[in-house]
Amino acid sequence: MAWEITPQGYLKTTAKITKSGVLQYYGHEIGLTDSRANRLVDVNRTIEELSKPDTLKSINGMPITITHPDKKSVDASDWKNKTVGHVQNPRAEGNYIVCDAYIQDASAIELLKNKDIRELSVGYEPSDIQEVNGKFYHKNIRVNHIAIVAEGRAGSDCRLNDSKPKTTGAKSMPKKNKLLALIDSFRKRLNDAEGELSREEINKQIDELMAQLKEVQDKEDEESKAKADELQKQIDELKAKLETLNDEEPTIGEDDKDAQIASLTAELEQVKKERDELKARVEELEAEKDKENVMNDAKVRFPKVKLNDAKSGRDVRVGVLVDHGIYTKDQASKLTDAEIRAAYAGLVATSTKKNKAVSRLLNDSKGAQTKSASKRLGGK
């Protein structure tokens, strides 16, 4: 399907978001803690599972993002900041799951038109990975979001459909570099939409661009020359913008300056106070959520442990650890929250039976043993 721009300015197309097949994950990504934890293992995802009514229902209306979010999921708390569109009308076509895709963010639409990045990667809700006769199967599949990535684990055929012809003959930018450029541009456009850059920000950008220009300006290859021209163009635009700001700067007297400083100081103090209050409230809410989550987990995994007096997530973890003889209360009181969390996670891992279905947040962006910058951006 050719790209279509709706009367509202949205970009509409179809997309193959995933397909059946055998995908590779590192063992720890699917909950393995034995010798396979850091090895690649095959996970089978069948079209029968992908096309189940409940799975298709979970896809309908799910958000589209630019790369996978850091926390690997999207919810109401960050939907506004992460989402650039959505998918609907999911259906099975051969071995693929196909959707109608809508990109509704103007900056994202412009960027996708200019950048050759189309591959898609599905972010899943906590998933059911089952081991049967030595093989792993992805069951009861539920979808959280669909990310536009540099290179998806499912392959280059899982992508936004695009009628625009590919250019030939010229060297193309590597996918990861293109995605980095896309994200940088996308964030810059978001910032520009919120307000004009300050003089300090403009001068900082000019310095950064000048440093990049210095690296390439003496090189003779065509790519370096093109990059130098583009960098110089950006520098000139920023300098012109800086001159405009200087021309618009009104002159003020010393008394006015003192009054402005006093006013800004008072505003700054108020902002700091509000920030501290918000930070305290966020920490309070996070603590409440942590307690609720770990309490529910502990009740399922360790139903015999009495946790009625626990007032926080730490109290719940300590209660379980003390009950199992890992620490005494006195020993636990001397440990940091991170150490208590790690000890609890270790107890959970060692108490999980082999071959039991495990729940993990999975996504289809290609994994790596170490969490490199490119991986966090959805690439290999």
Side-chain angles (χ1 to χ4, degrees):
M1 172 184 179
W3 283 15
E4 173 187 343
I5 300 299
T6 71
Q8 299 81 14
Y10 304 151
L11 188 156
K12 177 184 177 183
T13 187
T14 56
K16 295 176 179 177
I17 65 168
T18 190
K19 65 182 179 183
S20 63
V22 179
L23 292 87
Q24 289 192 319
Y25 293 88
Y26 282 97
H28 61 80
E29 292 184 275
I30 62 171
L32 298 181
T33 57
D34 55 20
S35 60
R36 298 170 294 179
N38 292 316
R39 297 178 183 174
L40 286 172
V41 296
D42 292 337
V43 176
N44 294 272
R45 191 174 293 148
T46 67
I47 194 62
E48 288 76 20
E49 284 289 337
L50 287 168
S51 60
K52 282 184 176 179
D54 286 343
T55 299
L56 294 177
K57 184 178 179 181
S58 78
I59 298 171
N60 199 37
M62 287 298 100
I64 297 174
T65 63
I66 302 291
T67 78
H68 289 290
D70 288 341
K71 68 177 185 179
K72 305 301 181 185
S73 65
V74 178
D75 56 33
S77 67
D78 57 7
W79 175 91
K80 182 178 180 181
N81 296 325
K82 303 296 184 184
T83 302
V84 298
H86 73 281
V87 296
Q88 63 188 47
N89 190 26
R91 64 269 188 191
E93 294 185 4
N95 290 327
Y96 295 92
I97 297 300
V98 178
C99 302
D100 297 330
Y102 289 80
I103 308 297
Q104 292 150 308
D105 181 272
S107 296
I109 293 170
E110 183 178 349
L111 288 167
L112 288 174
K113 286 180 178 178
N114 296 328
K115 306 291 181 180
D116 184 24
I117 295 175
R118 302 288 182 266
E119 292 187 28
L120 299 175
S121 169
V122 175
Y124 296 97
E125 292 289 354
S127 303
D128 187 0
I129 306 298
Q130 298 182 13
E131 185 175 8
V132 180
N133 297 327
K135 293 184 178 181
F136 292 98
Y137 293 86
H138 192 176
K139 301 285 189 178
N140 304 313
I141 300 168
R142 301 293 181 270
V143 169
N144 176 272
H145 66 276
I146 295 89
I148 300 170
V149 298
E151 188 170 359
R153 197 190 309 253
S156 60
D157 48 340
C158 289
R159 58 190 289 118
L160 292 168
N161 288 338
D162 183 4
S163 63
K164 184 170 64 174
K166 296 183 179 179
T167 58
T168 58
K171 291 183 179 179
S172 61
M173 186 189 301
K175 286 189 177 182
K176 290 180 183 177
N177 292 343
K178 287 190 291 186
L179 184 59
L180 289 171
L182 184 150
I183 292 169
D184 289 342
S185 299
F186 186 64
R187 286 174 177 166
K188 180 181 182 303
R189 290 174 186 274
L190 288 177
N191 291 335
D192 289 346
E194 293 172 358
E196 292 293 329
L197 295 172
S198 67
R199 287 176 183 77
E200 292 77 11
E201 291 170 325
I202 292 175
N203 281 318
K204 182 179 179 181
Q205 287 193 11
I206 290 175
D207 291 340
E208 292 173 351
L209 292 171
M210 288 292 290
Q212 295 178 41
L213 178 60
K214 187 176 180 180
E215 293 179 1
V216 299
Q217 61 184 359
D218 295 328
K219 296 181 179 180
E220 297 299 326
D221 60 282
E222 292 301 321
E223 184 178 354
S224 296
K225 289 181 179 179
K227 185 175 182 180
D229 291 341
E230 178 61 28
L231 288 170
Q232 188 61 59
K233 180 180 178 182
Q234 294 180 44
I235 291 170
D236 293 341
E237 290 176 355
L238 287 171
K239 286 182 176 179
K241 191 171 186 178
L242 189 60
E243 290 178 3
T244 301
L245 288 177
N246 290 333
D247 292 340
E248 294 175 353
E249 174 87 29
T251 57
I252 57 176
E254 291 299 322
D255 291 341
D256 290 333
K257 287 183 179 179
D258 291 340
Q260 285 189 8
I261 291 172
S263 176
L264 290 171
T265 301
E267 290 180 16
L268 179 60
E269 292 302 319
Q270 180 62 29
V271 168
K272 288 181 177 179
K273 180 181 177 182
E274 293 175 356
R275 179 201 63 190
D276 292 340
E277 291 174 351
L278 287 172
K279 183 178 179 181
R281 180 54 180 159
V282 168
E283 290 175 350
E284 180 182 339
L285 291 172
E286 288 179 343
E288 291 175 0
K289 185 176 181 180
D290 177 57
K291 178 192 173 184
E292 180 182 355
N293 290 340
V294 74
M295 179 68 81
N296 292 336
D297 180 76
K299 285 181 177 178
V300 173
R301 298 181 185 277
F302 312 107
K304 295 182 180 180
V305 181
K306 295 181 179 180
L307 301 169
N308 296 333
D309 295 332
K311 297 180 180 180
S312 66
R314 179 188 173 94
D315 289 346
V316 175
R317 294 182 179 94
V318 168
V320 173
L321 293 170
V322 170
D323 182 82
H324 282 71
I326 308 299
Y327 300 116
T328 65
K329 286 186 177 181
D330 182 59
Q331 290 171 329
S333 67
K334 299 175 182 178
L335 299 175
T336 64
D337 287 346
E339 290 170 331
I340 291 296
R341 286 174 179 270
Y344 181 83
L347 178 61
V348 168
T350 56
S351 65
T352 302
K353 294 180 180 179
K354 290 184 178 181
N355 297 337
K356 182 178 179 182
V358 295
S359 292
R360 286 291 185 276
L361 280 175
L362 299 180
N363 65 64
D364 278 348
S365 61
K366 286 195 173 181
Q369 273 187 286
T370 57
K371 190 176 182 182
S372 64
S374 61
K375 178 183 175 186
R376 292 195 300 271
L377 295 175
K380 281 186 174 179

